[in-house]
Amino acid sequence: VQQLLAFSRKPASGFESVHLGEIVQKAFSLCKLRRQKEGPEMELMLDLAAEEMNGDSDALLQLFVNLMLNSLQAAEDTIKVVVASRYDSSNEGQEILVTYEDNGYGIRQEDRDRVFDPFFTTKDVGEGTGLGLFIVSNIVREHEGHIEVDPNFQGGTRFIFQFPAGHSGQTTEQVRQISKNTEGIPS
């Protein structure tokens, strides 16, 4: 209920240059504090070739906290989380690709199409609201990004995010139109 209320009362996002590593580290620290004493240990490994991006730092923090809490709930032993990022210019315009992976139970094939649906959960009654990944997918959309579950990843779960490298609060189409209109104009 707290997640739903926080999501529905969310203030206007403020996009600015953020440091991905700082956000992930802060999320990791928060999740380690929340971890149950008997629960699994948690390890974090970062491989960030793309460290800076434009985004809403509070929303991105919530994104990583939700993912890490899911990881903690999907493991009995030590949970290992790996967050990597890199620039990718193979599409129109440059993108930042971010992967989040863990060594938990993974997501069953038959559930992969529904994990981002609101209130969908595979957890027992009273253990999950089914809002965590729904909120994650909405945060990604607010950043004009895309998220998917890697269907080929074995031994846990891997999410792949694509974010525009130069997000400025404008839509991708607006950025393309501005670029098109300024072609040939000396800077």
Side-chain angles (χ1 to χ4, degrees), residues 70 74 105-124 130 133-134 147-151 156-159:
N70 277 358
Y105 300 134
I107 299 172
R108 296 184 314 218
Q109 179 67 34
E110 59 269 20
D111 294 334
R112 288 187 180 151
D113 291 338
R114 299 185 58 208
V115 294
F116 301 116
D117 292 348
F119 304 108
F120 175 77
T121 183
T122 59
K123 297 174 184 144
D124 293 333
L133 291 177
F134 170 70
I147 183 175
E148 64 184 40
V149 179
D150 185 343
T157 302
R158 177 186 290 151
F159 293 99

Side-chain angles (χ1 to χ4, degrees), residues 137-148:
S137 68
N138 279 313
I139 291 168
V140 171
R141 276 196 294 272
E142 287 173 359
H143 285 77
E144 297 175 15
H146 175 74
I147 183 175
E148 64 184 40

Side-chain angles (χ1 to χ4, degrees), residues 26-105:
K26 187 173 181 181
F28 180 71
S29 295
L30 289 170
C31 290
K32 282 190 76 156
L33 288 173
R34 187 159 177 192
R35 180 183 71 83
Q36 309 263 336
K37 282 187 178 182
E38 313 82 46
E41 286 295 320
M42 192 171 185
E43 297 175 4
L44 175 66
M45 191 170 101
L46 297 176
D47 180 15
L48 303 176
E51 175 70 28
E52 288 191 36
M53 65 179 281
N54 288 329
D56 180 337
S57 60
D58 291 335
L60 291 170
L61 176 65
Q62 184 173 8
L63 179 149
F64 285 106
V65 165
N66 285 351
L67 291 174
M68 289 179 190
L69 288 176
N70 277 358
S71 295
L72 274 172
Q73 294 171 353
E76 292 177 11
D77 297 325
T78 300
I79 189 76
K80 295 177 183 170
V81 172
V82 178
V83 179
S85 65
R86 66 181 173 85
Y87 292 104
D88 180 27
S89 58
S90 60
N91 292 332
E92 277 187 45
Q94 198 171 34
E95 292 181 332
I96 295 175
L97 296 179
V98 178
T99 58
Y100 174 96
E101 63 186 56
D102 68 32
N103 63 333
Y105 300 134

